[in-house]
Amino acid sequence: RRRSFGGSLRPQRRRSRPHFAAWRTAGGAARVGRRASAASRGEARGDLSARLCRPARGAAPRRRRPAKLAIRSSSGGAAPPPPPPQQAAGSASSLSDILRGVRALLDALQRGGYLAAYAIDDGDADEGLWQQRSSLSSTRLTVTLTDSAALRAALLLNGRGVSPELARPLLSAFFASRGAEVTEQSDFFLDGEYRENPKEYRPTQQLLSFTIAPSGAPR
């Protein structure tokens, strides 16, 4: 074949087959050499990793022990706090102590913003009758809560057997912790302002009435 370059005809040079075969042989040998060197490097790495991971001669293989919870003994560590004192069965605190606890509990609710004010009617309290632990030991206490946080919800759910009022269950639990039993309880709503129209009834106070007696006392 001939090609024209600038109007002149020049014969095209072809690579001779012996030179081409030698070039292919040299390239293949180079590739084979590179593969052999890579394989040798891989084998060397494998031998090195096997040597590093191989346990020492004469040493038993190390086994992992399951983790155990460390329990601190009372003698070595800090002693646990003593349990809170509980009222003995069949005994009750004095009525004056119970009234002081009720006031402290209501003070805490007032400081926390749960209610604006409170009042306690303890005109039925008699310490002498309370200590007799008889049927005459029953005492009526009336707690008045003014503008409590649950007043509107308690008024809405009144008569449905559910009350969101927080003070009543707290006081009942406090009476039980002092050895007093709640025999009766009821609540009322009171509007501090007189209104001629009954539709304008807007209660601002809730009255919680409790009748308590020493636990185990005859009724």
Side-chain angles (χ1 to χ4, degrees), residues 83-89 91 177:
Q86 297 181 357
Q87 196 72 23
S91 62
S177 66

Side-chain angles (χ1 to χ4, degrees), residues 128-206:
L129 294 176
W130 180 266
Q131 294 299 334
Q132 289 182 9
R133 301 178 55 83
S134 63
S135 58
L136 300 177
S137 300
S138 297
T139 304
R140 181 181 296 275
L141 298 176
T142 303
V143 178
T144 303
L145 308 178
T146 303
D147 289 334
S148 67
L151 178 62
R152 300 294 181 267
L155 182 62
L156 181 64
L157 298 176
N158 185 29
R160 301 187 181 182
V162 179
S163 177
E165 179 56 53
L166 181 62
R168 179 165 58 180
L170 287 178
L171 291 174
S172 299
F174 172 75
F175 292 145
S177 66
R178 290 300 181 266
E181 182 181 358
V182 179
T183 58
E184 292 182 18
Q185 59 179 347
S186 57
D187 55 345
F188 308 94
F189 297 93
L190 180 63
D191 189 354
E193 181 180 353
Y194 173 75
R195 306 177 192 275
E196 295 182 358
N197 188 358
K199 295 183 180 180
E200 296 180 358
Y201 173 68
R202 299 174 185 175
T204 57
Q205 295 177 335
Q206 185 175 4

Side-chain angles (χ1 to χ4, degrees), residues 95-109 118-120 141-143 170-172 174-175 178 210 212:
L95 196 55
S96 58
D97 292 341
I98 293 177
L99 292 176
R100 279 196 296 268
V102 170
R103 291 189 178 92
L105 181 60
L106 295 176
D107 285 338
L109 293 177
Y118 72 90
I120 300 176
L141 298 176
T142 303
V143 178
L170 287 178
L171 291 174
S172 299
F174 172 75
F175 292 145
R178 290 300 181 266
F210 299 93
I212 60 175

Side-chain angles (χ1 to χ4, degrees), residues 27-79:
R31 287 195 295 271
V32 171
R34 286 197 297 270
R35 292 175 183 176
S37 60
S40 62
R41 286 197 299 271
E43 293 178 358
R45 292 176 183 174
D47 295 342
L48 180 59
S49 61
R51 292 177 184 177
L52 293 177
C53 299
R54 185 183 303 170
R57 295 181 179 179
R62 184 175 299 178
R63 298 179 180 179
R64 287 189 175 182
R65 297 181 179 179
K68 297 182 180 180
L69 296 177
I71 302 176
R72 182 180 297 180
S73 60
S74 58
S75 58

